[in-house]
Amino acid sequence: MHRSERKGAGSSETRRLFVYNGRLLTDRHLRRILFLAGWRVRFGLPGQQDAVGIWGGAPTAWRGAHVSRARAAPLIRLEDAPIRSLFPGRSGEPTLGLTIDTRGLHFDPAAPSDLELLLSSHPLNDPRLLARATDAMDFIARRHLSKYAATDPGLTAPGTGHVVVIDQAQGDASLTATGADAALFRDLLERARHEHPNAPIIVKAHPETALGHRPGHLGPGDLSAGMTLLSEPISPTNLFSGARAVYAVSSGLGAEAIYHGHKPIVAGGPFYAGWGLSEDLNAFPRRGRALTSAQLFAAAMILFPMWYDPIGDRLTELEDVLYSLDARARAWREDRSGWHAEGMTAWKRPHIKRVFGQFGKLSFGPPRANAKKRIVWARRANPEDRAAVRVEDGFLRSRGLGAALTPPVSLVADDLGIYYDPRRESRLEHLIAAACALPEADLARARALSHQIIERGLSKYGVGAAATPLPDGHRILIPGQVPDDASVQSAAGEITTDAALLRLARQKNPNATLIYKPHPDVVAGFREGTRALDTADVVLADVDPALLLDQVQEVWTMTSLLGFEALLRGVPVTTTGAPFYAGWGLTTDLGAVPDRRTARPSRDALVHAALVDYPRYSDPVTGRALSPEAAVYRLAHGPWPGPRGGLARLQHLRAAWLR
């Protein structure tokens, strides 16, 4: 359940929150999160039923504190959520959530905060809550996520047995609250050197320092032999892997060290100190409870923040935020060094640029011998070109046909081959084989995604009318394909036409009711092909396949993606060709499939590989990289941009002429 469903967002429960900070007054993103959380931002003087909001320890916070005291109004303290964004806030990226504290500042131990109260008094013993915390910590580690997730998994710490000293940016509110200064950081660095005299020491610079926004406290002049100042975007997973000790003042990265299995030495007063999970150089009399890392994570990351879903415009849960951040981090990691795109038709170029050009330079044109990274539309790629990354539409594509120039929500980029051509191994094959070892949390995610797709009646194109009642009997669906389809040409095997497929299905199932569904591009008039065949008992042209699958007992196909959509819904599938989902023990395969497909993934593992790990999703409305869950929401609820421009009009005129 999303938090917006529990809060009654936008109802009469909302209270007025008076603020005196320009950002809180003008930032629509923050105002929207606050509204969904039950607060209407206002400027002026609060009344008896109102509250005053301040931004943490910002320079403007004194204004709100003064009004709060003068008007006897409650003071609400706002801060970024502990998982914030791809880049620091000073880069202009909106936050993924907020913490809203009615008691104090979680980074200031001078007074209790709501987070401290959670940690000290909440039972934190619900097995489901702790399982969520454990799974989320594992996901963050495996996906190399952090508060600022623009990290490079290819970067590793130099050597092993190293010591990490975490620096912070000057002016950080958590340092100001406790009076921490550069001398404290130098003392901490000296302590690390003294306690580990023979270990290499890594001073981890704050991302804002690395990006030039604010200086840190430790620089090259503070280092001695055996010390390294690390400004590169290494992930916490790799930074802490193999480390023998971690030192922090009050950085949130200290909490991440705990989540990665360390017990940091802490010189400040952050929220994670005092619970038996750190070696504290200060005393915290109020914090006498011993917690596990899962309990700390559950309170600080699941229960305390208000997480926001900008696609659904609603409050959401941590898992959805992690999935979305993971999608953006993947886009940054794969695209930041740029691409040269080849074989892209004019109408595809805006969508290619939206998906692959957000974080790096993207150029279009003929093949370049000196281009380091090249993407090529799969059908136009040279079969012998081993360096090209082949691009194609994903399996959840759009609300409308690609042939009608409808923008896609997903594309795949395959560095080995392409999913529809079994003559050469593809990246998807590797992902399917590896999915056999996925943790249960990932399989549960795939199940939930399948349920969302089925519940919302989604298919690749999302077109067609509701299915009419079908004749009684054992119903077999035969999806039509077109002869020039790339998967037919490369993977169909001996059966290459709809007529031949229907004859075989009739031969093997003489008493069944054969239902033939012509290809949607043929029905719409965008491609030439078969509309009706006498062998079929029923021909259904303009019918939504997602609704049709609920009424059949089997699907027979050459290579159609409808076979995968049937598997997703638990409908038995027989293939005569070698589509990507055949050969893994999940289908009845009458044709030849590659011998290399020896793994036996579950259906959930196949779904995770095909719908989570393989495609890249991007919002045609905002251009934002999406998680598959957010893409499903956009496909189901819209809005959805239609095809535009002269090319689209010409394509529709051509279709009308063909019809």
Side-chain angles (χ1 to χ4, degrees), residues 401 403-404 519-527 531 652 655-656 658-659:
L401 300 175
H519 193 281
D521 283 355
V522 175
V523 174
F526 293 117
R527 298 163 85 175
R531 287 171 174 264
H652 282 278
L658 283 173
R659 285 195 296 269

Side-chain angles (χ1 to χ4, degrees), residues 244-274:
R244 69 169 63 179
V246 177
Y247 291 78
V249 176
S250 59
S251 171
L253 195 57
E256 295 187 38
I258 293 173
Y259 306 149
H260 283 80
H262 287 275
K263 189 173 185 177
I265 294 89
V266 177
F271 75 88
Y272 53 85

Side-chain angles (χ1 to χ4, degrees), residues 165 167 201-206 209 218-221 223 227-232:
V165 177
D167 194 14
I201 295 178
I202 297 174
V203 176
K204 177 62 179 74
H206 192 278
T209 303
L218 298 173
L223 308 185
M227 297 182 180
T228 303
L229 180 62
L230 184 60
S231 299
E232 287 75 18

Side-chain angles (χ1 to χ4, degrees), residues 490-528:
S490 62
E494 295 181 2
I495 303 294
T496 59
T497 66
D498 293 352
L501 177 61
L502 274 161
R503 285 195 297 270
L504 179 64
R506 174 61 71 203
Q507 177 188 342
K508 300 290 186 180
N509 304 275
N511 299 319
T513 300
L514 300 188
I515 300 163
Y516 176 62
K517 183 185 181 306
H519 193 281
D521 283 355
V522 175
V523 174
F526 293 117
R527 298 163 85 175
E528 296 187 51

